[in-house]
Amino acid sequence: MIILLGEDAYGLAIRKALQEHANRTVTIGAVHGTVNRLEKKGLLTSHMGGATDSRGGRRKRLFTITTAGKKSLKRSRDLRVNLWKQIPELSLNLG
Amino acid sequence: MNTKRPTPPKLADWFLELICSEELLEEILGDLHEYFYDLTEIPHWKKSLLYWFHVINFFRPFAIKRRSFRIPLINNQMFSTHLVLATRLLKKSKLFTFINVIALSISMSVGIVMILFLSDIYSFDDFQVHKDQIYRINTQRVQGAQGMEVNLITSSYYMGSQLRSQVPGVERVLMMDANKLVADLKTAESAVTINGRYVSDSFFEVFSHKLLMGNALNALAAPNSVVLTESISKTLFGDANPMGQTIIIEDNSDKKSGIVTGVMEDPPLNSHLHFEILLSLSSLDQGMIEGGTDDRNEPNATGDFHVYVLLDENTIKEDIELAMAELIREHNTSIEHPIRHTLQAMNTFVTSDLYYNDVGPRFPQQRVYIMIGLTLLILLSACFNYSNLSLARALKRSKEVGIRKIAGANRFQIFYQFITEAIVIACLAFVVALGVFFLMKPEFLSIQNLAMQGQNIFSLDIDPIHIIYFFLFAVASGVIAGFFPALVLSKFSARKLFEDTRSTKTFSGNSLNRTLNILQFALSISLVMAALLVYEQYEFSVNFDLGYRTENIVNIPVNGDYIELLESEYSNLAEVTSTAKSSMVIGIGGDGLSGGMIRSESQDKPRPTFTGFVDEHFLDMQEFEILAGTTFLNPLVNGGNNNYIVANEGLLKELDLGTPQEAIGKTIYYNENRVRILGVVKDFIDIGLTKKIFNSFVFVFPEGIEQYRSLAVKLSSNNLSATIQNLDKVYQTLDPIHPFEFNFYDDQLANNYRQQKVTYKLISYLAIIAVVISMLGMLGMAVLTTESRVKEIGIRKVLGAGVANLMLLLSRGFLVLIILAGLIAIPTTLYLVNQMVLNDFLYKAEIGPVEIFSGFAILLVIGVLTIGWQIRIAAIKNPADLLRAN
């Protein structure tokens, strides 16, 4: 998600994107919680910037994905694809 | 977009700042604000609600300040340390402690009274098991010639019986005759005067009064059944068994006999309904059917019965109200002003406003609110004192705070330290307040007796539950008092505190301080003023020239046909100058006044007038001013006064009869009887200064003595108590049943204005309290000001300033505050007192400069004395001492 947003990935924008693409509504707090956790694990980095009027002059915390983050993302995708591959054709058709 | 766009709720932001760790705060707040402004097209409250939701959602481990986890809000050790600190400090600054404890305790004693008073009021009818299922049917309808909408607590028998038989959900219906029975209850041996109620047989099923003897289900079923209360049973029968005994109920000359079918507990003090005996409603049936006054099937007869309903647990009152509307819909189409019935829940019986025909004590909600408001103001005033003094001392304590902060205390700890201090003071004050309360209690109870005409409705007893309230109350007072100082003192960073000691002056909360002071002074000024204004009006009313004399007259109510005997016996007494019989006592609120219709010969529409039945001595004895003609003549000499009346001036104007001289001998119609005017008296006060109903008044000489209800006796005696005893002795021989009652006329007149008396008494207590609190506050402020300006005073003295000069300089600030307070308080009070009290009066006492400036002057004098005293101490000291001090 954060890759998708590229340059403008901060709390609220992430929440909006989740709403649009994944059809999931989460609270702002939940987003902040998640990105904070990810940052602590070293999968994301962040810097402050981009104050606007509607924020009352407060800066945003902009997140970008780290190499470690990309790797772990890839790993989890691979894992998932692998799991998918292991499901027999037949049961999938039935399902 | 709007130029002024809505902002996110500040409180939510503040909350977030409180809980959220600082490094995350900026981005989170930013996001939240952006989110808030992104929300469009929905109402502001919804936005705020969503905002709050998200804010609360940040109450997650990652976001919360780490610190606040290490220091829980209530930490035993911290608490005990703070307690020790607080006690040390209180010991150290004795003056400060003394002032605050005294001020808080007197205001808290008022608070205690208020807590007990409120719990008394709201616990009314708590003994009723079905309290939340019992409702009373009220009636709203337009009544009277003026088309006034009235709220009656009565309704029709029709409605009650229909509800019982037609409407599901109504478990029981209780009907009670709206007329209170006041009668003599007699057995062969003894007699007593009682208050009774006619109630239907469901009484003991609806209400939870306990029946000690008899069967609850049918005690009140049969006609002429009587249920006695325990105390009446004791007076009538002693310890003998009253069950099945026959008693005579004598109401004026109407005699009935009844059979005792039960004995019940006396209704408790907090019952909305008070009575001494209950009679079965069926006893009335026979009489009504015979007398043709049976209107039980008449939906329009809404004034005769109190109807209580006991609803099923699952039934809601709105359904029943709809059902009632349905039941009388047909009837409503036939009358001009439709009738509306509503259900009133039992817990509002005592506090409801504006209901006619009351059954028991009533304390309107509005009065409750006013009393709560005044108490809170007094309490706040004492809390202001604490806040003010603490803020003013901030200068001294800023270093202490600084050191604590450097030693590692955070803001919360400092905050709690100061709050603890305040709570300790409040608790201390509370103990003193309890003492003050026990001193005040009898006085307060006597005031309520005055207000309720001897009817006790408050006990002001302390229950265990109250102790919890008291504790909460003390803590709450402490928190309120300590909040501002704690906030201000804990706010400053340690560096700032040491960097520049002069900056401490700016944070002594000057503007806040002043506002609090002004409010406090204004409160004192208005209370003093209000007390004085009401007192003046009271005195004015009591001493008003009524148009007749009342000195040395004792009025004795007479219940029976022995009035002439009594009069002749009394005339033989040496102390009695004269006696007069009448149907009423004039000027004491209209008791016993009757009405009549008058018209002149040329008019065809009669007009209403007041009528008083008097004998030939009455007008002379009370020295009514006769403008023309004579008073009634001795009937034995002149063959009767039957066709004569004595009128007042108002009647002449009403009937257009010209001057008093011209009117004498003219014929008018009184109740369609031809009568002639025998004399004309000057207009006088017939009911009281608060009410004027009719302009005309007619004195009529009655045909028989049964009209007389009161014997007026004019005394000339130096030993009043002996005279009263003599009167009593004579009375006892003629009327052994009714206790001898005597009322000094002047007392009765004063009693007419007891409401005002209660008001001014209450307000003057509050005023004294408020002034004392203000005085203590001023004293404290003066001490602190002079202390903190000691050097300045020294230098000024060295430079040649005189004592007067210094006093002016130092007290100028206070004077300005008092003047500002006066400017606020005087017009507001004048307006309020006029609106709430004086507008009830037709004749108002004049408001002069004394009344207007009294409160202001009192506060000013007290202020100048207190402040001047303190400043003088500093000003006359040797400047060398002053300068050496620091």
Side-chain angles (χ1 to χ4, degrees):
Chain A
M1 201 55 76
I2 286 152
I3 311 175
L4 265 178
L5 290 168
E7 284 290 280
D8 207 24
Y10 66 100
L12 198 65
I14 298 171
R15 180 174 176 269
K16 268 191 218 155
L18 266 173
Q19 256 167 349
E20 277 169 33
H21 300 288
N23 219 2
R24 275 171 58 191
T25 312
V26 291
T27 63
I28 305 174
V31 176
H32 277 261
T34 313
V35 291
N36 260 289
R37 208 173 57 243
L38 291 176
E39 192 180 1
K40 254 184 218 152
K41 286 184 184 172
L43 305 181
L44 294 176
T45 60
S46 66
H47 61 276
M48 304 296 283
T52 62
D53 216 19
S54 67
R55 302 175 63 86
R58 295 181 187 86
R59 287 171 300 164
K60 303 167 182 172
R61 186 183 290 270
L62 297 170
F63 293 94
T64 40
I65 195 157
T66 59
T67 336
K70 279 181 192 158
K71 265 186 201 153
S72 100
L73 205 60
K74 194 165 176 292
R75 240 195 336 271
S76 78
R77 192 198 58 194
D78 288 348
L79 183 68
R80 213 185 284 187
V81 170
N82 258 332
L83 283 173
W84 271 102
K85 275 183 186 158
Q86 284 169 31
I87 303 171
E89 289 286 316
L90 192 65
S91 61
L92 197 68
N93 280 342
L94 283 176
Chain B
M1 195 182 261
N2 287 346
T3 44
K4 197 188 162 198
R5 56 180 192 177
T7 51
K10 289 253 159 52
L11 195 63
D13 285 357
W14 176 80
F15 176 71
L16 195 68
E17 276 168 45
L18 203 68
I19 61 159
C20 189
S21 62
E22 269 158 39
E23 60 270 24
L24 291 176
L25 185 66
E26 182 175 344
E27 49 166 320
I28 289 176
L29 262 184
D31 269 9
L32 282 168
H33 277 227
E34 195 177 332
Y35 165 76
F36 183 84
Y37 291 122
D38 275 357
L39 294 171
T40 42
E41 325 247 324
I42 56 169
H44 184 66
W45 65 269
K46 217 167 169 183
K47 279 194 210 175
S48 302
L49 200 69
L50 280 170
Y51 190 80
W52 265 105
F53 169 70
H54 283 290
V55 166
I56 306 270
N57 210 270
F58 269 103
F59 204 76
R60 290 160 185 257
F62 85 92
I64 292 178
K65 280 182 187 170
R66 297 282 157 237
R67 264 199 310 210
S68 53
F69 270 89
R70 264 184 275 129
I71 303 155
L73 295 190
I74 293 174
N75 170 319
N76 274 338
Q77 204 186 347
M78 182 179 85
F79 185 70
S80 55
T81 316
H82 284 173
L83 213 58
V84 171
L85 283 175
T87 36
R88 264 186 217 156
L89 181 94
L90 299 185
K91 269 189 214 149
K92 205 179 103 191
S93 43
K94 289 207 179 65
L95 179 74
F96 174 79
T97 314
F98 174 76
I99 288 177
N100 280 317
V101 168
I102 296 296
L104 274 172
S105 64
I106 48 179
S107 65
M108 278 168 105
S109 62
V110 181
I112 292 175
V113 171
M114 191 49 61
I115 290 178
L116 293 177
F117 164 77
L118 285 179
S119 75
D120 272 0
I121 283 204
Y122 287 105
S123 67
F124 253 83
D125 290 312
D126 267 0
F127 66 93
Q128 302 279 9
V129 177
H130 306 297
K131 189 179 177 189
D132 21 321
Q133 286 158 262
I134 299 176
Y135 294 85
R136 177 166 66 193
I137 305 181
N138 291 337
T139 306
Q140 283 87 48
R141 63 179 307 175
V142 174
Q143 223 179 31
Q146 280 92 29
M148 198 165 59
E149 164 131 315
V150 291
N151 248 327
L152 303 168
I153 62 166
T154 52
S155 53
S156 55
Y157 190 94
Y158 169 83
M159 183 48 73
S161 57
Q162 289 293 311
L163 279 185
R164 182 166 46 196
S165 57
Q166 310 270 330
V167 180
V170 179
E171 278 191 3
R172 294 272 180 277
V173 175
L174 165 64
M175 321 255 203
M176 179 171 83
D177 192 68
N179 295 312
K180 201 198 277 188
L181 171 79
V182 181
D184 297 334
L185 219 55
K186 293 181 186 169
T187 61
E189 290 86 34
S190 57
V192 64
T193 309
I194 49 87
N195 277 314
R197 289 285 185 178
Y198 287 99
V199 293
S200 62
D201 53 354
S202 50
F203 186 86
F204 292 105
E205 291 168 82
V206 176
F207 290 154
S208 313
H209 295 279
K210 263 200 207 89
L211 204 55
L212 300 173
M213 279 184 241
N215 184 341
L217 289 176
N218 60 17
L220 290 163
N224 300 324
S225 305
V226 177
V227 172
L228 304 175
T229 52
E230 211 179 345
S231 51
I232 290 294
S233 166
K234 276 255 160 58
T235 16
L236 279 182
F237 297 100
D239 292 327
N241 183 4
M243 295 291 288
Q245 299 275 357
T246 306
I247 47 176
I248 308 289
I249 303 151
E250 193 175 318
D251 169 17
N252 290 332
S253 48
D254 179 29
K255 262 190 195 176
K256 274 187 289 196
S257 64
I259 294 166
V260 179
T261 54
V263 177
M264 61 178 290
E265 278 182 354
D266 288 353
L269 208 58
N270 64 350
S271 170
H272 82 281
L273 190 63
H274 286 272
F275 51 85
E276 286 158 308
I277 67 163
L278 292 174
L279 299 102
S280 55
L281 191 62
S282 48
S283 326
L284 290 176
D285 290 355
Q286 200 57 34
M288 285 206 294
I289 293 164
E290 280 169 9
T293 52
D294 188 16
D295 47 13
R296 299 192 175 193
N297 291 317
E298 176 52 66
N300 206 28
T302 52
D304 300 337
F305 288 96
H306 295 286
V307 182
Y308 297 89
V309 293
L310 176 67
L311 297 189
D312 193 89
E313 270 173 28
N314 305 316
T315 311
I316 52 170
K317 79 173 212 197
E318 282 75 16
D319 288 346
I320 304 296
E321 284 176 344
L322 283 178
M324 289 194 291
E326 195 56 40
L327 283 168
I328 50 164
R329 198 168 56 165
E330 202 167 295
H331 173 75
N332 270 341
T333 52
S334 66
I335 50 177
E336 190 187 350
H337 300 292
I339 300 169
R340 217 156 53 81
H341 288 298
T342 50
L343 290 183
Q344 187 187 11
M346 191 169 216
N347 57 13
T348 64
F349 282 1
V350 177
T351 52
S352 63
D353 299 331
L354 295 172
Y355 282 89
Y356 283 77
N357 41 29
D358 280 308
V359 286
R362 204 164 56 89
F363 214 89
Q365 200 75 47
Q366 194 200 357
R367 267 204 355 243
V368 175
Y369 288 145
I370 291 177
M371 291 185 73
I372 295 178
L374 281 176
T375 315
L376 283 184
L377 280 178
I378 294 283
L379 203 59
L380 280 180
S381 179
C383 290
F384 286 172
N385 260 356
Y386 184 90
S387 301
N388 270 337
L389 291 181
S390 305
L391 283 173
R393 289 195 328 158
L395 180 74
K396 274 185 155 181
R397 301 197 62 185
S398 59
K399 289 223 169 85
E400 179 195 334
V401 174
I403 289 169
R404 271 179 212 292
K405 283 216 161 174
I406 285 168
N410 64 34
R411 193 175 163 192
F412 285 96
Q413 286 171 318
I414 309 263
F415 185 82
Y416 286 122
Q417 187 206 333
F418 283 103
I419 291 279
T420 315
E421 247 174 65
I423 292 177
V424 167
I425 288 211
C427 289
L428 216 65
F430 185 77
V431 176
V432 182
L434 267 182
V436 177
F437 164 71
F438 285 116
L439 289 178
M440 280 184 8
K441 188 175 160 182
E443 185 65 22
F444 188 82
L445 285 175
S446 79
I447 293 184
Q448 66 117 346
N449 280 346
L450 204 60
M452 302 291 157
Q453 277 182 291
Q455 202 177 16
N456 261 317
I457 68 166
F458 303 117
S459 55
L460 297 186
D461 291 333
I462 298 177
D463 285 342
I465 180 79
H466 291 141
I467 294 170
I468 300 173
Y469 292 154
F470 287 162
F471 180 71
L472 289 177
F473 171 63
V475 171
S477 314
V479 171
I480 294 170
F483 186 76
F484 272 127
L487 200 68
V488 170
L489 277 166
S490 64
K491 201 155 139 191
F492 301 100
S493 68
R495 207 188 57 201
K496 219 166 151 196
L497 288 170
F498 285 102
E499 222 169 42
D500 180 9
T501 41
R502 271 177 41 186
S503 71
T504 50
K505 259 189 188 164
T506 54
F507 65 65
S508 64
N510 264 335
S511 59
L512 184 70
N513 232 330
R514 280 197 189 142
T515 325
L516 294 184
N517 263 327
I518 291 178
L519 284 179
Q520 191 186 45
F521 293 161
L523 178 71
S524 312
I525 293 176
S526 7
L527 282 173
V528 172
M529 251 179 91
L532 200 70
L533 284 171
V534 179
Y535 174 74
E536 286 283 320
Q537 179 65 43
Y538 173 76
E539 281 291 302
F540 175 82
S541 310
V542 169
N543 298 323
F544 194 78
D545 178 14
L546 300 162
Y548 44 88
R549 306 293 289 251
T550 56
E551 292 89 356
N552 299 324
I553 294 180
V554 173
N555 290 311
I556 299 162
V558 179
N559 309 287
D561 46 12
Y562 52 85
I563 189 164
E564 287 194 316
L565 272 174
L566 190 67
E567 188 183 16
S568 66
E569 292 280 338
Y570 278 172
S571 328
N572 293 336
L573 294 175
E575 305 97 314
V576 175
T577 358
S578 55
T579 55
K581 306 182 287 292
S582 61
S583 62
M584 75 289 146
V585 179
I586 288 183
I588 59 162
D591 283 356
L593 282 181
S594 31
M597 300 301 277
I598 41 156
R599 66 180 178 90
S600 66
E601 281 189 307
S602 56
Q603 292 166 323
D604 43 274
K605 214 179 161 195
R607 297 143 190 261
T609 177
F610 273 132
T611 309
F613 295 97
V614 296
D615 69 359
E616 67 274 22
H617 308 300
F618 186 85
L619 294 173
D620 290 335
M621 180 168 130
Q622 300 207 1
E623 296 175 37
F624 281 86
E625 193 179 331
I626 312 279
L627 297 176
T630 63
T631 61
F632 293 114
L633 309 166
N634 187 340
L636 298 177
V637 180
N638 281 324
N641 297 300
N642 280 351
N643 295 320
Y644 288 101
I645 58 154
V646 173
N648 71 346
E649 285 175 288
L651 182 132
L652 303 192
K653 268 186 219 113
E654 193 109 328
L655 299 188
D656 222 0
L657 297 175
T659 66
Q661 281 73 22
E662 290 164 7
I664 296 301
K666 279 196 178 160
T667 309
I668 63 163
Y669 287 88
Y670 170 73
N671 286 349
E672 295 308 310
N673 293 325
R674 279 170 65 97
V675 291
R676 304 180 84 176
I677 296 176
L678 182 67
V680 176
V681 295
K682 206 170 176 222
D683 277 342
F684 55 91
I685 302 295
D686 47 10
I687 301 183
L689 296 190
T690 48
K691 271 188 218 139
K692 181 94 195 158
I693 298 179
F694 306 130
N695 287 322
S696 45
F697 198 105
V698 178
F699 287 108
V700 178
F701 194 89
E703 283 170 23
I705 58 163
E706 63 274 8
Q707 295 284 3
Y708 295 131
R709 288 268 168 271
S710 170
L711 183 68
V713 179
K714 191 161 192 170
L715 303 173
S716 62
S717 149
N718 297 325
N719 187 353
L720 276 177
S721 64
T723 311
I724 297 293
Q725 268 176 11
N726 284 339
L727 294 179
D728 189 10
K729 235 178 270 162
V730 176
Y731 180 91
Q732 291 299 343
T733 60
L734 292 168
D735 185 347
I737 297 175
H738 300 94
F740 176 65
E741 270 180 60
F742 63 95
N743 303 298
F744 284 96
Y745 207 147
D746 288 339
D747 293 346
Q748 284 180 299
L749 286 173
N751 194 35
N752 203 9
Y753 307 105
R754 60 179 181 278
Q755 196 60 55
Q756 283 68 39
K757 192 172 178 185
V758 169
T759 312
Y760 90 68
K761 266 195 143 178
L762 275 180
I763 297 180
S764 32
Y765 286 132
L766 292 180
I768 292 172
I769 289 173
V771 168
V772 170
I773 292 172
S774 304
M775 191 187 79
L776 289 170
M778 284 192 277
L779 179 67
M781 289 299 278
V783 172
L784 291 170
T785 315
T786 42
E787 255 178 36
S788 63
R789 292 174 79 171
V790 145
K791 269 193 185 163
E792 184 191 333
I793 295 172
I795 293 169
R796 279 181 194 273
K797 273 201 93 170
V798 171
L799 293 179
V803 174
N805 228 329
L806 280 173
M807 283 180 69
L808 188 68
L809 172 90
L810 290 169
S811 55
R812 200 162 46 200
F814 290 106
L815 296 185
V816 170
L817 290 185
I818 293 180
I819 289 169
L820 273 177
L823 285 181
I824 296 170
I826 291 174
T828 333
T829 316
L830 275 180
Y831 175 77
L832 284 177
V833 173
N834 249 317
Q835 282 295 310
M836 298 177 75
V837 183
L838 302 186
N839 274 359
D840 289 349
F841 285 87
L842 299 166
Y843 305 93
K844 291 181 197 171
E846 245 175 79
I847 297 174
V850 177
E851 287 82 32
I852 291 179
F853 293 111
S854 56
F856 178 67
I858 287 175
L859 204 69
L860 195 66
V861 168
I862 290 178
V864 166
L865 287 180
T866 359
I867 295 162
W869 170 50
Q870 273 305 313
I871 294 174
R872 213 181 116 80
I873 291 178
I876 57 175
K877 268 192 190 162
N878 184 349
D881 290 339
L882 294 178
L883 290 172
R884 204 188 299 139
N886 280 20

